[in-house]
Amino acid sequence: MRIKQITIVFSVFLLVMACKTNPFTGEKNLNFYPNSQIFPAAFQQYNQVLSENEIVTGTAESRMIKNVGQKIATASKRYLDANGYQGYLDDYKWEFSLIKDDQVNAWAMPGGKIAFYTGIMPIAKDEAGVAAIMAHEVAHALADHGAQRMSAAQLQQLGAVAGNVALSGKSDETRQIFNTAYGLGSTVGVMLPFSRGHESEADRIGLTLMAIAGYEPLEAAELWKRMQAQSKGQAPPEFLSTHPSSDTRIRNIEKWAPEARAEARKYGVTNFQR
C-alpha cells in the first residue's frame, strides 16, 4: 500500500474511533485524547502558570471567584447526574484562581482548572457577571473543547502531510503554493469556524449552568455589552476571529436565555440573581 493510501486509511480510522459524546448536546465530537492523558498535563501546566504569577487570596474578589466557581461546579454535577452522566466529573479537580494581571481575560484548562485575571473584574462588575464568565469557562472544560482543538490541529497537520505526499513528484514551487493555500484555507475555512463554534457552544451551555446555579442568564448579555464597550471596536472581523463578534453573542444569549431559565426550573430554581 502506498504512503498516500496509508495516510487516508489512518485518517478515516481516527475519525471513526476518536469520538466522544457531548453530554449537553448529545452529539459525537472529535476527540483523540482521553482524560487520563490530557488531564495530568493540564494540571501540571496550570500549576506552572500559578507558580509564575501572583495569585490573589484573602480578598472579597478572590473569595467570590471561588464561591461562584463552586456554585457552577455544583450546578454542573446536578445537570450531569440528572441526565444520565453520573461519574462524568470523577476525574475533574476543580480549582478557581484569581491572578493579578491587567489582562481582560479568563480561561479554562481540561479537568476543571479555571483562572480569572484581575483585569476582567471591573467588566464582570458583580457576582452575576462573574457567574456568566465562570459558567462559560466551566462549559469549555466540561465539553472537552481543549482536547477537541488539539485533535482538530492534529488532523490539520495530517492533511498537510497527505497533501505533500500526494505532490511528492511535483516541483518545490507547486508544493509551496499548496502549503500556503492549504494553511490559509484550513485556518479560515475550518479551524477558525471550529473555534467560534466552541465559543457559541460554551455560551449556550454556560447559560444553563449559571441559571441552575441561581443566576439570571440574561446577565451574560449585559456582560458582553460591557465587553463590547471596553473593546472600542478593536476586534477583528468575525470570520478572521476565534470568537464570535459581541453582537452575535448578545443576540444568541438573548435568544437562549429563556430555555436556560426553563431548564433551571426543572431543578427547582425559580428566583434568578441579577
Side-chain angles (χ1 to χ4, degrees):
M1 186 180 290
R2 296 177 56 194
I3 293 177
K4 178 181 177 182
Q5 294 170 314
I6 293 173
T7 302
I8 293 172
V9 170
F10 181 63
S11 301
V12 172
F13 174 77
L14 287 178
L15 288 170
V16 171
M17 298 301 293
C19 289
K20 184 177 179 180
T21 301
N22 184 319
F24 295 93
T25 66
E27 297 176 351
K28 294 286 187 180
N29 296 135
L30 180 71
N31 188 346
F32 299 159
Y33 301 95
N35 292 352
S36 59
Q37 179 179 350
I38 197 169
F39 281 15
F43 296 166
Q44 182 178 6
Q45 187 176 357
Y46 185 79
N47 289 335
Q48 182 177 343
V49 171
L50 296 188
S51 71
E52 294 172 351
N53 289 274
E54 181 180 348
I55 310 306
V56 179
T57 60
T59 68
E61 284 190 341
S62 66
R63 287 190 291 270
M64 181 166 58
I65 293 296
K66 292 186 184 299
N67 290 339
V68 172
Q70 288 299 329
K71 287 181 182 180
I72 300 297
T74 299
S76 303
K77 188 174 189 310
R78 292 185 70 189
Y79 177 92
L80 291 164
D81 286 352
N83 287 277
Y85 288 90
Q86 296 87 351
Y88 188 90
L89 297 175
D90 286 353
D91 296 328
Y92 281 69
K93 306 295 182 185
W94 295 109
E95 193 169 354
F96 311 99
S97 300
L98 179 61
I99 297 173
K100 187 175 182 180
D101 194 294
D102 290 338
Q103 291 184 58
V104 180
N105 198 16
W107 45 265
M109 283 187 178
K113 302 298 185 181
I114 314 295
F116 277 59
Y117 292 116
T118 52
I120 203 171
M121 298 304 290
I123 298 173
K125 186 181 176 182
D126 53 27
E127 187 173 331
V130 169
I133 299 168
M134 184 70 72
H136 174 89
E137 298 304 335
V138 166
H140 276 311
L142 294 177
D144 295 319
H145 286 163
Q148 288 181 46
R149 284 193 295 271
M150 291 171 60
S151 300
Q154 187 173 340
L155 277 184
Q156 185 185 33
Q157 292 176 341
L158 191 60
V161 170
N164 278 276
V165 168
L167 295 173
S168 58
K170 304 294 183 179
S171 66
D172 290 344
E173 182 181 5
T174 297
R175 290 198 300 273
Q176 184 176 0
I177 291 172
F178 164 78
N179 287 324
T180 300
Y182 176 82
L184 180 61
S186 62
T187 297
V188 175
V190 179
M191 299 300 288
L192 290 179
F194 190 65
S195 180
R196 290 195 295 271
H198 280 171
E199 293 300 324
S200 293
E201 184 173 87
D203 282 344
R204 192 168 192 172
I205 295 169
L207 293 181
T208 296
L209 297 181
M210 69 181 291
I212 294 173
Y215 298 100
E216 169 53 55
L218 271 178
E219 287 299 309
E222 297 305 312
L223 168 75
W224 278 105
K225 290 174 185 177
R226 295 193 294 272
M227 287 279 196
Q228 187 176 42
Q230 187 273 339
S231 67
K232 299 177 182 177
Q234 296 174 353
E238 186 172 82
F239 79 98
L240 291 177
S241 176
T242 57
H243 290 58
S245 70
S246 294
D247 286 336
T248 296
R249 301 184 93 150
I250 291 166
R251 284 196 303 271
N252 285 339
I253 288 167
E254 291 174 343
K255 178 176 66 176
W256 295 331
E259 71 180 31
R261 283 193 294 269
E263 184 66 27
R265 292 189 182 100
K266 297 177 184 178
Y267 299 84
V269 182
T270 55
N271 295 315
F272 300 95
Q273 178 178 341
R274 291 182 178 272

